[in-house]
Amino acid sequence: MNLDLTAQDVEFRNEVRAFLDKNLTPDLAAAGRLATSVFIEPEFTLPWQRILHARGWVAPHWPKEYGGTGWDEMQRYIFASECARAGAPGLSPMGLGMVGPCIIGYGTPEQKAHYLPRILSGEDYWCQGYSEPGSGSDLASLQLKAESDSDDYVLNGTKIWTTHAHHANKMFCLVRTDPAAKPQMGITFLLLDMKTPGIKVDPIITLAGEHELNQVFFDDVRVPKSGRLGAENDGWSVAKYLLEFERGGGSSAGLEAVLARLQKHVHSDSNSDMALVRRIGELSMRLEAIKTTEQRILSDLTSGQPPGPAGSMLKIQRTELMQAIDEAGVSSLGAHAAPYQPDAWQPGANAPILGPEALVTGMARYLNNRAGSIYGGSNEVQRNIMAKAVLGL
């Protein structure tokens, strides 16, 4: 694959840079640089999403007929890289990256007409109702009950690790509609309103001290059957389709930006340990390999097709590289990796010369991203998928 930029690519890159220079405000850029996970508070992401939506650039990976850009693989790579380089806040992946493509693939014409424009504009902010206590990587064992009652389902049970449920006004949710069927055969995929009576959201504070996760309780919650995506009891097929987008969507552009800042610090510090310098070089080579893999599957995403087992490969590679970069970042900070080290903000006898972003986010990123090899299906599960789907084992 040729990753060299053509004259047209350079022209497009300059167009993106000019757009970012004009529209990315200092507050939005600061929010992007201070991010400790892929989820940033909607007070920053939604204004940026509206700016991108107005320009027609909010969903580069969607088919053009549903609001995508029509860009080729290199243009999407350039756009993601330039946004990351400039510190643009990443948009919430739940709507644009996950349920949106799923609605394109499985939704009725009415569902597409209703939901897709609202996802693009940010009017609807989504969360994911998949995991339950005792049903994480073994997702097919989920027990949230949905009983049919005329034109509604009545939900009782709970979901856990629900990212940004305290912000979301919509949820895509897996429910148990046939408890007598085999685990995968009795599940239905629902789209529901978080303001429906009977829904309660309790916060879960992470080890990093952040409120990103929640547990959601359902007490006789009535969800119209018109919110069902796909057929009743065939939600497992929809869920697997969505998970391929979750695992294979996005890009390594954010990792590239973080690694570039880490490289700059390590190479500028005359006291840097040579083992750490070599380690950074090895991480750079791994990143180049991932970027090439991403380029190979981007065309499938843009045509609305899931990435298949390549999504599992990318999920493993990205999350494990992310954790390795975090570990190297904490090593480079040394004693100043603690959450609050005010003496490290200015050069001193024992303090590194670092910007505030590294000091505020270094340890928080490390703690938050430990979950990266678990969420979206643990990396052990992804290796099983690859063994079966790719190697035929």
Side-chain angles (χ1 to χ4, degrees), residues 69-355:
T69 58
W71 292 341
D72 61 27
E73 293 92 334
M74 181 57 75
Q75 287 175 309
R76 291 191 295 277
Y77 168 74
I78 290 170
F79 178 72
S81 295
E82 292 300 318
C83 285
R85 182 190 63 83
L91 304 181
S92 174
M94 294 296 189
L96 291 164
M98 295 167 64
V99 76
C102 212
I103 292 171
I104 291 172
Y106 276 87
T108 65
E110 294 77 15
Q111 288 172 328
K112 293 177 183 178
H114 175 74
Y115 287 113
L116 295 181
R118 295 167 65 93
I119 292 173
L120 291 171
S121 68
E123 184 175 355
D124 284 342
Y125 191 88
W126 291 80
C127 63
Q128 179 188 49
Y130 271 27
S131 294
E132 298 178 7
S135 298
S137 293
D138 183 21
L139 186 60
S141 66
L142 65 90
Q143 296 298 315
L144 176 59
K145 184 186 299 184
E147 296 181 308
S148 178
D149 184 11
S150 186
D151 293 332
D152 296 335
Y153 293 109
V154 181
L155 275 55
N156 284 281
T158 185
K159 294 292 180 179
I160 201 167
W161 316 124
T162 315
T163 306
H164 278 199
H166 55 303
H167 295 307
N169 68 322
K170 301 290 183 181
M171 173 188 280
F172 55 94
C173 186
L174 293 179
V175 299
R176 175 77 51 195
T177 42
D178 186 353
K182 292 182 179 180
Q184 289 90 343
M185 303 303 296
I187 293 172
T188 298
F189 193 108
L190 295 181
L191 310 175
L192 60 88
D193 193 319
M194 288 294 287
K195 296 181 180 178
T196 306
I199 295 179
K200 179 187 177 186
V201 178
D202 281 355
I204 298 174
I205 306 303
T206 68
L207 187 61
E210 299 173 328
H211 179 195
E212 181 177 298
L213 305 173
N214 303 272
Q215 184 166 6
V216 183
F217 298 90
F218 299 82
D219 184 10
D220 289 335
V221 175
R222 303 189 72 89
V223 177
K225 292 183 178 178
S226 60
R228 185 182 67 224
L229 198 60
E232 184 173 286
N233 296 323
D234 192 37
W236 191 248
S237 298
V238 185
K240 289 192 298 181
Y241 184 85
L242 185 144
L243 280 170
E244 290 183 23
F245 284 98
E246 179 180 357
R247 295 161 183 164
S251 77
S252 59
L255 295 178
E256 187 174 18
V258 172
L259 185 58
R261 290 195 291 269
L262 180 58
Q263 283 178 312
K264 182 178 180 181
H265 163 63
V266 171
H267 291 165
S268 65
D269 187 352
S270 60
N271 295 319
S272 290
D273 180 68
M274 288 308 300
L276 180 59
V277 173
R278 288 193 297 271
R279 188 172 166 193
I280 299 299
E282 292 169 358
L283 296 177
S284 299
M285 289 188 288
R286 289 173 59 183
L287 178 62
E288 289 302 314
I290 292 175
K291 287 161 57 177
T292 302
T293 304
E294 289 174 344
Q295 292 291 317
R296 293 207 314 266
I297 71 167
L298 272 174
S299 58
D300 288 338
L301 290 174
T302 306
S303 64
Q305 298 300 313
S312 295
M313 184 193 310
L314 279 177
K315 198 272 181 178
I316 294 169
Q317 292 178 335
R318 285 178 184 152
T319 55
E320 294 184 355
L321 178 60
M322 173 179 68
Q323 292 173 344
I325 292 173
D326 291 338
E327 291 170 4
V330 169
S331 295
S332 73
L333 289 170
H336 301 284
Y340 183 62
Q341 288 288 326
D343 62 323
W345 287 60
Q346 298 295 330
N350 298 306
I353 305 174
L354 295 172

